[in-house]
Amino acid sequence: MKTGDPVPAVEARRGPFAKMIADTIGPLWQGDYRVIDARDLEQPLPAAAELAPTGDLAAVVITGSSANVPNREAWMLRMEAWLREIVATPVPIFGICFGHQILAQALGGEVVKNPRGREIGTKKLTLRALDPLFDGLEGELEANVTHIDTVATLPPGAVSLALSALEDHHAIRFTGTCYGVQFHPEIDADIMRGYIELRREILTAEGLDAAALHQGVTDARAGAET
């Protein structure tokens, strides 16, 4: 489910989010990918019958976006209604950044602009609980992040699995088959540096050290392997 596009310089070099995600998944998935732009109100969203086990859609991945869930745009409201329907099915659902946030909003949580400010770069995350999502990891991991909104209130029944200095809910288990992560598993060091370079002036204006953020970037393999 495409909800946005990478910054232009990064997209020109590395492709859209769908390609980045597929590249990160690699040989772990041998099937095909289908890309649906959730922003296009004329493009129908998959019916529940198209989802596994009755249909041919085995899982749903929701991309990141520069859009903001608190803006409550028409396409977001349509998507939220659709998510409430498909979360009730057995199909696995995984939301990344904006995808993580819109899942939280759709299921009864609240997304707001983070009062602690923007979070960008390679960050340390602390795991709150054991979960198959972080199988083999303990304590802390590094992940690449870029966001200004946050899940301020968890939906009923959701469990927060990881946090950082600026983000209380970096990973959420919404149900046994539905997860969201605020970080970007598909963003490696090259992509992360591209975001920081593009936003250097904005970061400086916000009081952040763009040079230090740029220098501190890594591939964050633990986050990518989530």
Side-chain angles (χ1 to χ4, degrees):
M1 296 302 301
K2 177 180 178 179
T3 65
D5 304 290
V7 294
V10 169
E11 184 168 20
R13 187 169 71 250
R14 299 293 297 274
F17 283 130
K19 182 180 183 300
M20 295 179 194
I21 292 167
D23 288 346
T24 302
I25 293 172
L28 294 175
W29 172 248
Q30 297 292 324
D32 295 328
Y33 288 88
R34 175 180 170 190
V35 179
I36 297 169
D37 194 331
R39 301 167 298 179
D40 182 356
L41 290 173
E42 294 185 359
Q43 185 173 17
L45 301 177
E50 296 180 67
L51 305 175
T54 56
D56 62 356
L57 293 182
V60 175
V61 179
I62 309 165
T63 74
S65 177
S66 61
N68 304 97
V69 170
N71 288 348
R72 319 302 293 134
E73 296 176 43
W75 69 268
M76 299 178 193
L77 300 179
R78 181 181 76 141
M79 186 174 182
E80 288 174 20
W82 177 75
L83 287 171
R84 285 189 288 271
E85 178 183 359
I86 69 163
V87 165
T89 73
V91 67
I93 302 166
F94 188 70
I96 299 172
C97 195
F98 177 91
H100 159 91
Q101 294 167 6
I102 201 166
L103 275 167
Q105 187 78 35
L107 299 177
E110 183 183 19
V111 177
V112 301
K113 185 174 182 179
N114 195 335
R116 302 176 191 175
R118 184 188 302 271
E119 187 177 43
I120 188 170
T122 303
K123 302 298 179 183
K124 285 187 177 180
L125 277 55
T126 300
L127 300 182
R128 291 180 180 269
L130 295 176
D131 189 272
L133 186 68
F134 297 111
D135 189 30
L137 298 175
E138 294 182 7
E140 292 185 339
L141 71 150
E142 284 191 339
N144 284 320
V145 311
T146 173
H147 65 108
I148 58 174
D149 291 337
T150 182
V151 177
T153 304
L154 292 173
V159 178
S160 180
L161 301 175
L163 74 159
S164 70
L166 296 180
E167 174 59 51
D168 289 336
H169 308 302
H170 248 296
I172 299 173
R173 182 177 68 236
F174 297 105
T175 74
T177 56
C178 179
Y179 286 79
V181 293
Q182 184 60 71
F183 60 91
H184 283 267
E186 81 282 15
I187 288 185
D188 60 18
D190 170 63
I191 297 169
M192 191 75 264
R193 291 191 187 102
Y195 271 80
I196 293 171
E197 289 161 6
L198 178 76
R199 294 176 175 158
R200 186 177 296 273
E201 291 185 8
I202 294 173
L203 298 176
T204 301
E206 292 176 352
L208 299 175
D209 187 337
L213 289 169
H214 193 277
Q215 186 176 5
V217 166
T218 75
D219 280 328
R221 291 308 309 165
E225 291 168 3
T226 297

